Amino acid sequence: MQSSDDGGAGVSVDQNRLIALLKRGIRAVNGRDLTALAAPDLPPGPLDLIAVGKAACAMAQGLLDIRARTVRRALVVTRHGYATPLQTPHGVDVEVRTAGHPIPDAASLEAGEALLRFVTSGDPDTTLIFLLSGGASALVERPLPGMTASDLAQINRWLLASGKPITEINAVRRALSTLKGGRLAARLPYRRTFYWLLSDVVGDDPATIGSGLAAPDTTTFTDALNVLRRHGLMGAVRPTVVTHLELGECGAHPDTPDPRSPRVAGLTLSVVASVRDAVEGARAQAEALGYEAIVLTSTLSGEARDAAAWLADQELPDGPTALIAGGETTVTVQGRGRGGRS
């Protein structure tokens, strides 16, 4: 943000106004508000509710605010330390779990088993509403037989530190999971299933959000192996992981379901909000504060250091100006840092 009193020669940031822009962008993607707004669109009758992600409690509460009388049971999984009390005035049976993020832990495996029990015990005549937000990839997991929480943690640490695109990271994650890549969706007994996604990925691809908990994709075990081979990392992961992938490549484990499969093709998926909405919220706030708001992009990606340099190189017009960009960058670990998407 540039103030008008510097004539364009320098940059002065009013921190309070900058924070106001940030908060307005966050409010534009508030999980509780967005879910409550969409809740009347669901069909009447009993509902089973699942919410997974860092915004799981907020999204679940939004649905309960409007449809608590028809929610029969609910499972909510969020990050350790992110759980908030849910208001269930009509005695809804709600199970709230927490698990590891960004590295899956033993609780993630327990949550994955709970998720599978929940959906496979569903009544076909009950509507399922699945609320998915960022972080779901780590929070619920059910790995291939023989793999352990330690195996998953090791491969996820490498993936997060690698700086690889999310598409490559998810190709490996999906190959090691019995839930991701549409595998969970293919096992649902419900006749009517609605997925509402709060997207934290550039492009809002349902197959990428939560590594495809809500949608199938076309990647295979071969794709996952190629990620490791291409970057010379076959020896960087446990031999058990490589063995599972190689067995899958040979057909010992089924690939992710075909998106055209009748079991998954009829699911209703909706992106209730994304980074574009956050950017638009910040833009509206900037204009309300008297700034000329220039939206640079809502698909910022690549290395964080490169994105920062690109932002710093932008030319500013005269007068009060707000440059707004959204997206998701990555950090490749070069020392002892944690890395991961930024």
Side-chain angles (χ1 to χ4, degrees), residues 22-272:
L22 176 62
K23 288 183 175 180
R24 180 63 183 82
I26 292 172
R27 285 200 304 273
V29 291
N30 181 280
R32 181 173 182 174
D33 293 344
L34 292 165
T35 305
L37 186 65
D41 295 334
L42 289 170
L47 292 172
D48 280 353
L49 164 64
I50 296 171
V52 181
K54 288 179 285 185
C57 288
M59 296 186 77
Q61 188 62 66
L63 189 75
L64 291 169
D65 288 342
I66 307 299
R67 292 291 300 270
R69 292 183 182 277
T70 57
V71 174
R72 186 184 63 151
R73 58 186 185 137
L75 172 65
V76 179
V77 184
T78 192
R79 180 179 178 175
H80 293 313
Y82 278 45
T84 57
L86 294 177
Q87 301 170 19
T88 55
H90 302 287
V92 181
D93 180 17
V94 179
E95 179 183 2
V96 179
R97 289 175 171 266
T98 64
H101 178 278
I103 304 298
D105 59 9
S108 303
L109 272 62
E110 294 169 1
E113 293 292 344
L115 176 61
L116 189 60
R117 288 194 303 269
F118 186 101
V119 298
T120 55
S121 62
D123 180 353
D125 293 326
T126 296
T127 297
L128 174 65
I129 177 69
F130 198 131
L131 309 174
L132 195 64
S133 55
S137 291
L139 294 172
V140 291
E141 187 54 282
R142 190 172 183 268
L144 295 175
M147 290 190 64
T148 66
S150 178
D151 291 329
L152 283 175
Q154 192 269 350
I155 189 64
N156 273 274
R157 286 193 187 94
W158 168 76
L159 291 169
L160 291 172
S162 69
K164 299 297 178 288
I166 188 60
T167 52
E168 294 192 4
I169 289 175
N170 280 342
V172 178
R173 283 172 166 170
R174 283 189 288 258
L176 299 176
S177 175
T178 63
L179 299 177
K180 295 178 172 61
R183 292 186 175 96
L184 176 67
R187 302 178 68 165
L188 297 179
Y190 298 89
R191 295 191 182 98
R192 294 178 299 186
T193 301
F194 294 82
Y195 286 101
W196 291 353
L197 313 177
L198 189 58
S199 173
D200 66 332
V201 300
V202 171
D204 306 330
D205 180 7
T208 301
I209 303 168
S211 300
L213 273 177
D217 78 320
T218 57
T219 58
T220 64
F221 287 104
T222 299
D223 294 322
L225 280 167
N226 285 340
V227 171
L228 301 181
R229 291 167 178 151
R230 185 162 54 248
H231 301 292
L233 292 162
M234 289 289 282
V237 297
R238 293 178 186 270
T240 52
V241 173
V242 176
T243 298
H244 276 299
L245 293 175
E246 291 177 338
L247 286 172
E249 188 177 37
C250 295
H253 307 302
D255 270 319
T256 56
D258 190 311
R260 297 166 295 181
S261 167
R263 292 295 302 274
V264 296
L267 304 177
T268 302
L269 291 93
S270 303
V271 175
V272 296

Side-chain angles (χ1 to χ4, degrees), residues 269-313:
L269 291 93
S270 303
V271 175
V272 296
S274 70
V275 67
R276 291 193 302 273
D277 299 287
V279 164
E280 175 58 24
R283 183 203 61 77
Q285 181 67 30
E287 291 183 346
L289 292 173
Y291 290 91
E292 178 185 355
I294 300 175
V295 174
L296 299 174
T297 181
S298 61
T299 59
L300 190 64
S301 60
E303 282 286 338
R305 60 177 64 87
D306 296 334
W310 176 76
L311 289 169
D313 286 342

